[in-house]
Amino acid sequence: MMQQKKRVVVIGAGMAGILAGIKLQEAGFSDIAIYEKADRIGGTWRENTYPGLTCDVPSHHYTYTFERNPDWSRHLPPGAEVQAYFERTVTKYGLEKLLHFNKQATRAEFLEGRWHLEFEGGQTDAADILIAATGVLHKPKYPTLKGLDSFQGDCFHSARWDHSVTLENKRIGVIGNGSTGVQIVSALAGKAAIVEHYVRTPQWIMPVENGHFSVEERAAFRDPEVLRAAMKIEEYNTAVERYTMAIVDMKSEGAREMAAYCLANLEQNVKDPVLRERLRPDHTPLCYRLIFSPDYYDAIQHPNAALITEDIDCIEHDGIRTRDGELHELDIIVLATGFHADTFMRPMVFRGRNDANLDSLWSDGPKSYLAITLPGFPNFFMLNGPNGPVGNFSLIDIAEHQWDYIAQLIDKLADDECDEISPYLDSLLQFETERAAAAKETVWYKGGCTSWYLDKNGVPASWPWNYSRFVKEMAEPDWSAFECVKRQGNTSSNT
Ligand code: NAP
């Protein structure tokens, strides 16, 4: 393996930052620093610790491909096990020495061929290559509800769960009906005295099995061949392809099949016809990110659970007052109200070559060439950047494909073929025009809902094509889209 001399800084020590650290070390880079704003690794799996936290991707598929995990306890991985998996992986691959915690990046500027970084508290660093692995769903979105501060009980966002608050015998209101709210209500029904679920927009629920793996099964999975066979990788990839096709084409067989599953789930598993109608969504399934749940309908029919679809008027000292004038007295209010999904590495000052400014480039919303690179920001690469694939599949898999692509760009720098590599502005604009047009054909746009996928112009901010197109695009960069600058001879060329 060739020793690489370039210094690489990675921002973020979640799933993607850990991946970058492992892959960079493997490629012979030894001068690496991974900066993390929090005090430990894990990203979204560190931030979220709410009761019922589960990943909705089948557990054996929710790992790095090079580090499978035979030890998952269930078919869907519990959040704490996901966090433990990443912690083990960091130790196994010797990443601790690269990690710097409690370092929030505040400024990055490309000056004289290098990235110059500043962190809260004044520390600085410089690097030849900068990687943003800053995640998507970690900046809590708080609702603007009148009187929220006046509540005398405990109130916290789902991603800021206060574990010092006991839940037994408490009256709990959960606001929000995304995957998070659904998982919390499912976990609390029957445990708390009362669980009220405040639902502004009913969602389709896809049924899913979440059984336990037996001790014998887990022992057998230690044999990689047994695990690989159990994972049915081909079948899984076909399902992902079908799912992405269902988003792209609302009339596809997969779309019809998923809609039928969701409808049957509602019809067959909610007994009270009045409750059933209150739970019935008015949009096309998959318009929102689909919720997979083995137990939500059971939970909401529990005698201690209540569905509240009346709009919230305000929060008061003793609870939530709904528009019909009723005061719902509560001890705890959980805000499962989602995240600011469009911040990426911000807030930070981000300047590229010749004073290129991220705020200007993103004035109309975050955009990037293939979710990875930005014109005017050389030697800078994003994992899970703007408008990349997000959905009911593994973002780890997505990040690995993105890394394969990034690695080829980095090779050009490591081999000194280019000193600076970045996409042309035209590459971004052309891609973005095509992407936005395709996005307007998807179920996110046409399915009759307003989800967090939509940007401020109402265009879905996501990968609007199928999975196989993504895999193909990531296999090798279209080199004509990139500007490769050689500083010494002062020549600039396509690579
Ligand atoms: P989310 O999907 O953005 O849902 C936020 C919920 O809060 C929505 O139901 C929204 O209602 C509601 N809400 C916001 N403001 C409100 C207000 N003022 N009054 C009443 N309701 C309000 O957030 P999330 O559930 O935290 O999920 C975030 C993302 O993470 C989603 O893509 C989700 O699928 C994903 N996730 C994945 C997993 C997994 O297993 N992989 C687990 C958890 C979460 P409206 O729809 O009416 O706006």
Side-chain angles (χ1 to χ4, degrees):
M1 184 175 56
M2 229 175 80
Q3 258 329 96
Q4 304 289 357
K5 295 187 294 290
K6 307 244 181 238
R7 177 164 175 78
V8 189
V9 160
V10 180
I11 306 178
M15 168 280 286
I18 296 167
L19 172 72
I22 293 171
K23 292 288 183 178
L24 285 164
Q25 287 197 142
E26 267 175 24
F29 288 89
S30 53
D31 196 3
I32 309 166
I34 304 176
Y35 288 98
E36 167 55 53
K37 69 174 167 12
D39 60 2
R40 60 193 183 111
I41 63 111
T44 196
W45 300 106
R46 174 199 61 230
E47 302 288 303
N48 286 287
T49 59
Y50 60 75
L53 174 66
T54 305
C55 178
D56 60 12
V57 175
S59 47
H60 290 133
H61 292 272
Y62 198 73
T63 68
Y64 300 116
T65 48
F66 53 85
E67 186 59 35
R68 295 296 189 195
N69 177 18
D71 294 324
W72 297 114
S73 65
R74 308 191 68 157
H75 286 261
L76 300 179
E81 289 184 31
V82 179
Q83 176 68 17
Y85 164 80
F86 286 123
E87 282 171 4
R88 278 200 309 277
T89 303
V90 163
T91 305
K92 178 168 172 184
Y93 288 83
L95 293 194
E96 281 106 339
K97 59 185 182 297
L98 313 180
L99 290 162
H100 303 262
F101 293 114
N102 302 307
K103 298 283 178 235
Q104 166 97 45
T106 54
R107 185 181 181 91
E109 189 164 10
F110 191 77
L111 281 175
E112 291 166 6
R114 297 198 91 202
W115 281 100
H116 297 264
L117 295 138
E118 286 176 22
F119 299 88
E120 223 168 60
Q123 192 185 330
T124 59
D125 198 348
D128 303 296
I129 297 167
L130 178 62
I131 291 161
T134 46
V136 187
L137 300 169
H138 54 92
K139 300 207 172 93
K141 193 173 187 176
Y142 288 87
T144 45
L145 289 168
K146 205 167 45 176
L148 194 54
D149 291 342
S150 63
F151 183 58
Q152 60 146 19
D154 294 294
C155 178
F156 41 81
H157 190 275
S158 54
R160 297 283 179 272
W161 197 274
D162 184 347
H163 290 278
S164 70
V165 176
T166 57
L167 306 173
E168 285 71 29
N169 303 319
K170 297 284 176 66
R171 299 162 300 175
I172 306 175
V174 178
I175 302 177
N177 189 34
S179 295
T180 303
V182 162
Q183 290 183 351
I184 293 171
V185 169
S186 304
L188 296 186
K191 297 203 179 71
I194 293 171
V195 180
E196 291 186 341
H197 193 194
Y198 289 80
V199 168
R200 189 164 64 179
T201 312
Q203 296 265 19
W204 290 107
I205 310 279
M206 183 73 143
V208 62
E209 297 284 320
N210 189 18
H212 288 82
F213 291 115
S214 66
V215 174
E216 294 74 26
E217 280 173 311
R218 285 192 259 165
F221 293 151
R222 299 205 157 273
D223 177 343
E225 287 306 317
V226 174
L227 182 56
R228 196 169 302 127
M231 286 174 69
K232 302 189 176 104
I233 291 173
E234 294 273 300
E235 212 173 284
Y236 178 74
N237 286 343
T238 305
V240 173
E241 179 72 4
R242 210 170 158 77
Y243 168 88
T244 52
M245 273 314 297
I247 287 165
V248 172
D249 177 5
M250 286 165 71
K251 295 195 178 72
S252 68
E253 201 189 318
R256 287 204 302 274
E257 193 180 89
M258 275 186 252
Y261 277 130
C262 292
L263 185 61
N265 192 21
L266 176 69
E267 300 291 355
Q268 290 163 16
N269 295 318
V270 183
K271 294 181 194 72
D272 173 4
V274 176
L275 180 65
R276 198 186 306 138
E277 291 320 303
R278 292 172 64 221
L279 284 167
R280 191 183 299 275
D282 62 2
H283 55 263
T284 308
L286 284 169
C287 185
Y288 281 89
R289 187 181 183 280
L290 200 53
I291 296 176
F292 283 72
S293 174
D295 49 6
Y296 175 72
Y297 285 150
D298 286 345
I300 201 65
Q301 293 173 90
H302 190 278
N304 291 354
L307 176 73
I308 314 288
T309 48
E310 192 69 34
D311 277 349
I312 296 171
D313 180 34
C314 63
I315 311 289
E316 296 184 2
H317 188 261
D318 293 323
I320 296 178
R321 192 174 293 278
T322 42
R323 284 267 157 82
D324 55 5
E326 189 181 340
L327 175 67
H328 302 254
E329 292 189 29
L330 296 166
D331 303 302
I332 302 171
I333 297 176
V334 177
L335 307 170
T337 44
F339 299 87
H340 293 283
D342 61 351
T343 51
F344 298 94
M345 52 276 191
R346 300 174 295 178
M348 68 186 285
V349 175
F350 212 84
R351 297 264 159 78
R353 190 168 50 204
N354 304 331
D355 232 12
N357 189 336
L358 188 72
D359 289 338
S360 310
L361 187 67
W362 285 5
S363 60
D364 202 28
K367 50 175 93 65
S368 57
Y369 177 59
L370 286 170
I372 291 176
T373 55
L374 296 172
F377 295 79
N379 310 352
F380 169 68
F381 311 110
M382 289 176 282
L383 285 161
N384 298 123
N387 308 329
V390 282
N392 295 88
F393 44 74
S394 169
L395 269 195
I396 306 180
D397 174 65
I398 299 302
E400 282 197 25
H401 283 291
Q402 290 174 330
W403 186 266
D404 291 344
Y405 182 99
I406 292 171
Q408 296 175 67
L409 298 173
I410 289 180
D411 279 348
K412 297 269 181 203
L413 300 169
D415 297 347
D416 288 330
E417 218 177 295
C418 316
D419 292 319
E420 297 176 11
I421 193 160
S422 57
Y424 292 107
L425 179 60
D426 270 358
S427 312
L428 169 69
L429 296 179
Q430 200 183 324
F431 170 72
E432 207 23 50
T433 304
E434 202 189 333
R435 193 201 65 76
K440 288 182 179 173
E441 297 300 319
T442 61
V443 64
W444 301 316
Y445 191 77
K446 292 181 158 177
C449 77
T450 309
S451 76
W452 66 263
Y453 284 132
L454 303 185
D455 67 16
K456 63 180 182 186
N457 302 313
V459 179
S462 189
W463 182 262
W465 299 290
N466 55 10
Y467 176 69
S468 47
R469 173 160 173 171
F470 170 72
V471 171
K472 200 161 150 244
E473 296 266 12
M474 292 298 104
E476 192 191 352
D478 169 2
W479 296 112
S480 69
F482 285 92
E483 181 187 21
C484 162
V485 175
K486 272 303 283 175
R487 272 192 300 271
Q488 274 160 352
N490 210 17
T491 51
S492 168
S493 66
N494 291 347
T495 55

